[in-house]
Amino acid sequence: MAIGIKDFYAGKDVECSRVSAFSTAYPKHTHEEYIISANIKGVEKVWVDKKNYLVPAGHVTVYNPMAIQSSEFFDVGAEFISLHVNPDSIRRIIRENNIASRDSYPALIQGAFRNDALFKAIQGCYLAAVSPTDHKEESLNLYRKLDLSTLASSVGLSKYHFVRTFRQEVGMAPLQYHMQLRLIEARRMIRAGAKPIDAMVDLGFYDQSHFIKTFRKVMAITPDLYSRTLSKMLS
């Protein structure tokens, strides 16, 4: 079982990574950015919007910000290029080019599909990165253990009913979703210059190994390597 990043490049509006994986899985998780990926080798099984997709080589996957998603990889393995695109940059482009009258993030069609032009564009973004010469969520407290009883009572539900309803609507349990928000905040803090150990302590992770393991499950990279790579790419 293995998953790892072969290359990772970061800019102001886009992070680009090349990931390989086999006999493993990404558990249900979410990201604050648009995720657009090109599968360049093998097969990935994807879950999003309560639907399952098989993604062969040559296909792309698209996820909107905060979409709940998961992936599974088989013995033959898979390799893909993934772009994490800042939603604010998309909104800025839309506004500056008068593409839409609303000042909001567009909802892209999610899932997996064949689109040769998009596939080549993702590859082009990766090749350009390889050759450079050519908020916190207000409704949930990220810094303390989540109290489900208090949260459920605030919306007039029992804890059991709240957890069941939340899972049906969102796609994962409240505690799992809360963890995703903490990981998003950890990435924000590290991108802003915080040391991974400080982000870990501030966000209430009980020990370093737990923080590293949880961060790596979603990002396929350790917090320390993420921090060092960002420093190198943005210096």
Side-chain angles (χ1 to χ4, degrees), residues 33-72:
E33 309 98 340
Y34 292 97
I35 310 296
I36 305 173
S37 300
N39 189 352
I40 57 179
K41 181 181 178 181
V43 178
E44 177 185 9
K45 184 179 179 180
V46 166
W47 179 93
V48 65
D49 279 344
K50 303 178 182 179
K51 297 178 182 178
N52 289 303
Y53 300 88
L54 280 179
V55 190
H59 282 56
V60 298
T61 54
V62 177
Y63 308 98
N64 287 307
M66 303 310 296
I68 306 300
Q69 57 182 280
S70 65
S71 297
E72 182 180 351

Side-chain angles (χ1 to χ4, degrees), residues 53-153:
Y53 300 88
L54 280 179
V55 190
H59 282 56
V60 298
T61 54
V62 177
Y63 308 98
N64 287 307
M66 303 310 296
I68 306 300
Q69 57 182 280
S70 65
S71 297
E72 182 180 351
F73 305 95
F74 307 103
D75 292 344
V76 294
E79 192 167 314
F80 55 94
I81 298 167
S82 186
L83 305 182
H84 291 228
V85 183
N86 185 343
D88 288 331
S89 66
I90 300 296
R91 183 168 63 176
R92 184 179 65 250
I93 291 170
I94 289 174
R95 184 173 58 245
E96 291 175 351
N97 291 275
N98 296 316
I99 297 174
S101 58
R102 294 184 305 170
D103 186 23
S104 60
Y105 306 129
L108 304 180
I109 298 174
Q110 296 191 122
F113 46 90
R114 181 70 180 258
N115 186 310
D116 293 340
L118 180 56
F119 187 90
K120 290 179 180 178
I122 296 170
Q123 286 183 310
C125 186
Y126 169 72
L127 292 174
V130 173
S131 306
T133 55
D134 296 330
H135 278 232
K136 296 175 186 166
E137 180 70 21
E138 296 295 334
S139 60
L140 297 177
N141 189 324
L142 303 183
Y143 301 89
R144 295 186 220 165
K145 184 177 179 180
L146 192 64
D147 187 336
L148 287 178
S149 296
T150 300
L151 192 60
S153 65

